[in-house]
Amino acid sequence: MRKIYFGPKGTVNWHEPFWKPWGCLGCLGRLLLYLLLLLTLMFLLSMFKMCSCSNPFRPTPTEITNPTGENPNPHVDIDTMIDIPRNIPNPGENLPNPDDNYIPPYDDGDIVQDSLGQQTVGDRLNVILDSDAEDETFRQFADEFKQLYPGDEYTIRFYDPLTKALQIEVPTEERDAMIQNLPQQITDINFLVFPESVMGSFQSNRPNDPAFQYPDYTWHFAPIQAYEAWEITKGSPDVTVAIIDSYFDLNHDELNSDRVVSPFCVPRRSGNVAPPQEGCADAPFKHGSLVACTTLGNMDNNRGTAGIAPNCKFMPISAGHQFTSMTLLQGLLYAIYKGANVVNISAGDAYPEDSPIYSLTTEEQIQLSQEWRKEEEAVWDYAFDLANARNVTVVWAAGNENLYTALDPSKRGDRSIKVSAVDTNLQKASFSNFGNFEEHNVEESTISAPGVNIFGACPYNDYIPLEWGMGTSFSAPIVTGAVALMKSLNPDLSTPDIIQILRETGKPIDSNPEIGKLLQIKDALLRVQNGDEYANMEEIQNDHSQFLGLWESTQTLHKTSNGQATDEMIRLYFKITSESGGQIIYHEESTNLDFPAPLSIQWEQDKIVLTQTAQANNPNAGNHYVVATYFCTPGEDQRAECYHSSQYGTTTPYYLRKVNQSTDD
């Protein structure tokens, strides 16, 4: 029997030509209309970004602009801050027209060099008019200049009425003579003339990545001494950093390089660590790229930002978007066996908002951590022992629940580094987990680093908005990068060595002693370079000459003003030149100024007394340091444990560490 099909208006006659049932357009017309609408939709979609998870930050090498296309400071209207350079109305035929009025770039072939190596642009002269010069003065100078030098090879290329400056193009062989002759030839206008010197930058440690033009996007580098650290090292390709996280966009401008080694995805069991296309809008898919960028992002590629250790190798290990003890352990063991030197894990326990754990006091949390989940603790201890036996340092994010971090069994003891977060005020971030309580004899927060508004990579070659980069997840990779730099100087450093250096060189956060000190990378690297030679009381007492040399306090101390501690930090240096005395130097971290004063030494049984005999001054500063007395007594392992007393009180103890520098320096 023949089947009959019904449409919305009755039976459908399938034997009729296909274009008739639907009117004048027919099926063919509707099909063409559908295709047209589809092409239009595809075109509109192509106008949007591939990833909706962030703002763009992909300036071209030749045109670096606002990194996100948005105002980096929402409280300031950028357009009102730009003072568009003014041109002179009716500049005449001898001044450039507005479209051509700019300082032209020079070619390398235009550079000439004198006998001392000074480089100048041979075909340029610069002129500065008197500060009272008006528009007419520019026209007058241009007219008189062209009367003297009418040829086309003599041209005023640029002028600026605001700065009263001009630049002139002249034949290279005539330039030096014109510098001498012009002031004698144009005598009715006051001006200075000078060559165009080629200048170099003294901030070679500042990357050319465009984010560094915007302080809000790179605020976290300065407080941890990253710029100074990069003058020492940017990392060694012999050091491999494993990042165990969600997914990684290895085609991203920040991560795409020949530094990538041994990628591995735990759930896929393959080397494909890329995020799924549909996951871009979800946080877990973005997390890994940002974490990796923070540690290892490419530097000086005119793109985005940079990582702390941009020259080290990168081993990306994807745990997928569902982190468990197994996926993380799998990732960690893979990293250990594949030869990683440092491992970052920005993951750990998380609790629902209604968890009763939030109602526990700190004391109860500490007690619980000593009794709870011991089986998992034993597994992690095994993994850490395995890592330490192969000299692999593991760095953990402390967590974002504002809880005692050792509640998580993966974050207990001194076999790994746990990182808490500070905010833009360099105080404990409100969400950061903590772990240090001297009264309970626990120190589970090893070190702290910035963890708020950390800017970096998002999948599909994109970048995240500032407000998203918040958490100890991004504090940990900063420390991981610092550890990689330390191992770049000394690959034999053990995890206990690194922990000791980080703790001793960190900057105290006195308002939040429950978290570790603020990371200071330069000081940590200098410690690695200079070694750990401490003043030994027994040796010094037996042979006073062992005290000769330059020593520094192992801790930075708070500067006081009228007896009140300030946020400014100082480091003490003792320059011992004889058995009877030498010099003390107060070094201010913020100003980089030294305040020296004479020092006398008195040797007593089991004690050295160093007396500052005058106040310490610096001619470039308006403050001074009052007279104080310093006492050194035997401490742990006979180290000289020192403190000082002045009219304002007594400081906490610190050790003296030898500085590899001549006392004549």
Side-chain angles (χ1 to χ4, degrees):
M1 179 181 292
R2 181 182 177 187
K3 293 183 180 179
I4 300 175
Y5 296 89
F6 292 87
K9 295 184 179 180
T11 59
V12 177
N13 237 331
W14 291 110
H15 66 277
E16 293 185 12
F18 72 90
W19 63 85
K20 285 186 177 182
W22 293 339
C24 61
L25 287 179
C27 286
L28 179 60
R30 288 178 178 264
L31 177 63
L32 292 174
L33 180 61
Y34 169 76
L35 291 175
L36 179 62
L37 291 173
L38 180 63
L39 290 173
T40 302
L41 178 62
M42 292 176 65
F43 172 76
L44 292 174
L45 289 174
S46 70
M47 303 298 291
F48 293 94
K49 293 198 298 257
M50 186 175 185
C51 175
S52 62
C53 58
S54 71
N55 298 320
F57 196 114
R58 294 191 293 273
T60 66
T62 57
E63 184 179 3
I64 301 173
T65 58
N66 186 353
T68 64
E70 297 180 356
N71 187 348
N73 184 345
H75 303 295
V76 179
D77 183 358
I78 287 182
D79 292 335
T80 65
M81 298 170 61
I82 300 175
D83 186 8
I84 299 175
R86 184 175 64 87
N87 293 290
I88 295 175
N90 304 314
E93 62 181 6
N94 295 321
L95 288 172
N97 63 55
D99 291 337
D100 297 326
N101 188 22
Y102 63 92
I103 299 175
Y106 63 82
D107 296 326
D108 291 343
D110 297 330
I111 296 176
V112 296
Q113 183 171 298
D114 67 13
S115 60
L116 297 177
Q118 172 64 40
Q119 293 183 329
T120 56
V121 182
D123 62 351
R124 307 281 174 86
L125 280 182
N126 294 320
V127 173
I128 299 293
L129 301 179
D130 186 89
S131 61
D132 295 329
E134 299 179 350
D135 291 357
E136 183 56 35
T137 312
F138 282 83
R139 299 190 193 97
Q140 180 183 346
F141 182 92
D143 292 341
E144 292 190 32
F145 174 76
K146 288 304 291 182
Q147 288 177 5
L148 292 167
Y149 302 95
D152 292 339
E153 66 270 32
Y154 307 96
T155 306
I156 296 177
R157 298 293 304 271
F158 164 78
Y159 71 92
D160 186 349
L162 176 66
T163 61
K164 317 300 182 184
L166 302 98
Q167 187 171 89
I168 306 171
E169 184 173 305
V170 301
T172 300
E173 62 274 11
E174 297 182 35
R175 184 198 61 169
D176 292 341
M178 291 181 67
I179 291 176
Q180 302 299 320
N181 295 335
L182 268 180
Q184 309 303 321
Q185 296 169 327
I186 302 177
T187 58
D188 55 344
I189 299 175
N190 294 325
F191 66 93
L192 300 172
V193 59
F194 56 99
E196 176 79 326
S197 296
V198 178
M199 309 295 287
S201 172
F202 294 108
Q203 290 186 311
S204 60
N205 58 328
R206 296 273 175 157
N208 66 23
D209 307 85
F212 290 89
Q213 300 177 28
Y214 301 88
D216 287 350
Y217 288 82
T218 52
W219 75 271
H220 61 284
F221 289 99
I224 59 173
Q225 302 178 330
Y227 299 117
E228 298 89 341
W230 288 331
E231 293 179 352
I232 300 173
T233 181
K234 295 177 182 176
S236 166
D238 295 329
V239 172
T240 298
V241 180
I243 306 290
I244 304 172
D245 216 285
S246 56
Y247 298 98
F248 307 91
D249 179 4
L250 298 184
N251 291 317
H252 198 289
D253 289 335
E254 299 296 346
L255 305 177
N256 185 4
S257 75
D258 58 4
R259 297 183 294 120
V260 176
V261 296
S262 305
F264 179 64
C265 180
V266 173
R268 291 175 178 152
R269 307 296 298 161
S270 74
N272 179 11
V273 298
Q277 289 277 345
E278 67 274 11
C280 182
D282 300 326
F285 296 90
K286 299 184 287 184
H287 197 270
S289 295
L290 176 54
V291 169
C293 171
T294 304
T295 300
L296 296 149
N298 291 326
M299 180 182 285
D300 287 328
N301 64 342
N302 274 332
R303 293 290 192 274
T305 182
I308 298 296
N311 290 349
C312 291
K313 289 275 197 322
F314 169 34
M315 183 186 295
I317 302 175
S318 169
H321 62 282
Q322 294 179 331
F323 290 179
T324 66
S325 297
M326 180 55 74
T327 57
L328 295 180
L329 273 169
Q330 281 284 95
L332 176 57
L333 295 173
Y334 177 86
I336 293 171
Y337 291 126
K338 292 295 287 186
N341 303 100
V342 191
V343 181
N344 184 93
I345 310 178
S346 290
D349 281 352
Y351 306 95
E353 293 182 359
D354 59 353
S355 171
I357 205 163
Y358 292 107
S359 65
L360 299 179
T361 66
T362 299
E363 290 75 11
E364 290 171 332
Q365 294 177 42
I366 293 173
Q367 181 65 32
L368 181 61
S369 71
Q370 295 169 352
E371 304 169 351
W372 192 39
R373 300 169 68 183
K374 303 300 286 185
E375 298 85 357
E376 293 175 79
E377 180 181 338
V379 173
W380 287 110
D381 284 349
Y382 162 78
F384 298 148
D385 288 341
L386 193 64
N388 291 335
R390 289 162 172 76
N391 202 20
V392 181
T393 300
V394 182
V395 181
W396 286 97
N400 301 334
E401 292 76 38
N402 193 28
L403 294 170
Y404 181 58
T405 191
L407 287 169
D408 186 335
S410 66
K411 300 175 179 63
R412 296 174 186 169
D414 272 350
R415 294 179 174 90
S416 63
I417 296 171
K418 287 90 65 179
V419 184
S420 296
V422 298
D423 58 21
T424 54
N425 296 317
L426 304 183
Q427 304 299 313
K428 176 185 172 296
S430 59
F431 54 78
S432 178
N433 286 1
F434 47 83
N436 298 345
F437 296 93
E438 186 176 356
E439 64 273 23
H440 296 289
N441 196 30
V442 293
E443 192 172 8
E444 295 288 5
S445 174
T446 312
I447 195 74
S448 296
V452 172
N453 293 354
I454 306 301
F455 180 71
C458 174
Y460 309 111
N461 212 25
D462 215 327
Y463 290 85
I464 66 158
L466 281 184
E467 63 271 12
W468 197 86
M470 182 176 298
T472 59
S473 282
F474 312 115
S475 307
I478 291 174
V479 174
T480 297
V483 173
L485 296 183
M486 295 167 70
K487 289 203 169 190
S488 296
L489 296 182
N490 182 359
D492 296 326
L493 283 176
S494 68
T495 297
D497 292 335
I498 292 169
I499 290 175
Q500 180 179 343
I501 292 173
L502 292 177
R503 283 174 171 165
E504 292 185 355
T505 59
K507 180 180 291 187
I509 307 174
D510 288 346
S511 59
N512 300 112
E514 69 274 21
I515 62 174
K517 297 176 182 177
L518 179 63
L519 174 70
Q520 301 291 281
I521 308 179
K522 178 204 71 176
D523 289 346
L525 294 181
L526 290 176
R527 172 73 72 83
V528 174
Q529 282 186 328
N530 296 334
D532 292 325
E533 183 180 349
Y534 295 96
N536 184 285
M537 283 295 294
E538 185 175 3
E539 294 176 358
I540 291 173
Q541 290 284 17
N542 292 334
D543 181 0
H544 294 176
S545 67
Q546 295 291 319
F547 201 32
L548 298 179
L550 185 64
W551 305 85
E552 67 174 350
S553 61
T554 56
Q555 295 181 13
T556 50
L557 306 171
H558 283 284
K559 176 181 175 181
T560 59
S561 178
N562 296 321
Q564 299 297 316
T566 69
D567 291 333
E568 293 188 62
M569 306 302 293
I570 61 171
R571 190 179 293 277
L572 302 178
Y573 288 88
F574 297 86
K575 190 174 183 179
I576 310 302
T577 55
S578 71
E579 295 184 13
S580 60
Q583 192 178 56
I584 184 170
I585 302 168
Y586 297 82
H587 177 77
E588 290 187 351
E589 297 277 298
S590 60
T591 64
N592 201 33
L593 293 177
D594 290 336
F595 295 73
L599 197 68
S600 66
I601 301 176
Q602 181 180 350
W603 301 90
E604 298 181 3
Q605 186 176 6
D606 293 331
K607 182 187 295 185
I608 305 174
V609 181
L610 303 98
T611 303
Q612 178 185 336
T613 58
Q615 69 181 23
N617 297 288
N618 184 298
N620 298 316
N623 61 302
H624 66 272
Y625 289 87
V626 300
V627 171
T629 303
Y630 298 80
F631 304 91
C632 296
T633 58
E636 182 181 357
D637 297 328
Q638 283 294 314
R639 292 180 184 177
E641 188 173 69
C642 303
Y643 64 95
H644 67 268
S645 176
S646 70
Q647 66 189 74
Y648 296 123
T650 302
T651 63
T652 56
Y654 46 84
Y655 295 123
L656 296 182
R657 181 173 54 246
K658 190 70 173 288
V659 177
N660 290 339
Q661 179 178 342
S662 168
T663 55
D664 295 329
D665 291 342

